[in-house]
Amino acid sequence: MLYVTFCYKPDTDMLSMSSARILQLDPTARIYAVNDAATPVTKRIPGVTFLPSNLNGLAAVAGELAVFEQLLEKEHAEYIVKFDCDLWANDLEPFTDVSPGTPDYLSVERFEPFTPSGLIYRLSRHMVRELLKG
């Protein structure tokens, strides 16, 4: 599955943890981290490909969608999973199962105070295109 997150330097340790966990649960994962140019993550993280970015403010949402579209094209993928750097996944099967009838959007979130839990969601190529049409 194709995964992406958006990060900056303070995310370094959490990104290391979350990406290692994703690779543990999905050894074939292709993980991209869109790195903020102003305060980038500078540590090499195994299994993560970094892309530069200046995304912030209101333009960030459209910019994220454009990144999703570019990565879907580059990887010839039908779905992309966006995760927060503080994600601790127990099971990725709901996101990697793309059998017929799979929804265009799937999201889960857990709330437990003072515990990394992060948001994760999956978008289809079709949904990304439709959202970009605005």
Side-chain angles (χ1 to χ4, degrees):
M1 183 59 73
L2 176 59
Y3 299 85
V4 66
T5 192
F6 295 81
C7 60
Y8 69 120
K9 190 172 186 93
D11 291 328
T12 301
D13 292 338
M14 296 300 288
L15 177 59
S16 293
M17 178 201 68
S18 62
S19 59
R21 180 63 174 166
I22 287 170
L23 287 166
Q24 184 179 38
L25 295 171
D26 183 359
T28 63
R30 296 173 322 272
I31 302 172
Y32 288 86
V34 181
N35 210 1
D36 185 275
T39 55
V41 171
T42 56
K43 177 182 172 187
R44 186 184 168 290
I45 299 176
V48 177
T49 301
F50 285 93
L51 303 173
S53 171
N54 289 330
L55 297 178
N56 55 42
L58 292 176
V61 174
E64 286 184 11
L65 289 169
V67 167
F68 296 165
E69 183 178 50
Q70 291 165 7
L71 290 173
L72 286 161
E73 288 294 322
K74 176 182 178 177
E75 294 288 340
H76 306 288
E78 291 300 317
Y79 294 89
I80 189 166
V81 176
K82 192 275 186 186
F83 68 98
D84 288 351
C85 290
D86 64 343
L87 172 75
W88 179 259
N90 289 317
D91 182 7
L92 291 174
E93 188 175 351
F95 300 96
T96 58
D97 176 13
V98 290
S99 53
T102 299
D104 287 311
Y105 178 77
L106 175 69
S107 175
V108 297
E109 186 172 16
R110 186 188 93 207
F111 176 75
E112 189 173 326
F114 310 111
T115 302
S117 55
L119 176 68
I120 183 171
Y121 59 88
R122 183 189 65 210
L123 296 168
S124 70
R125 175 190 296 266
H126 169 75
M127 184 169 190
V128 169
R129 279 191 204 133
E130 291 301 310
L131 289 170
L132 281 168
K133 287 179 184 177

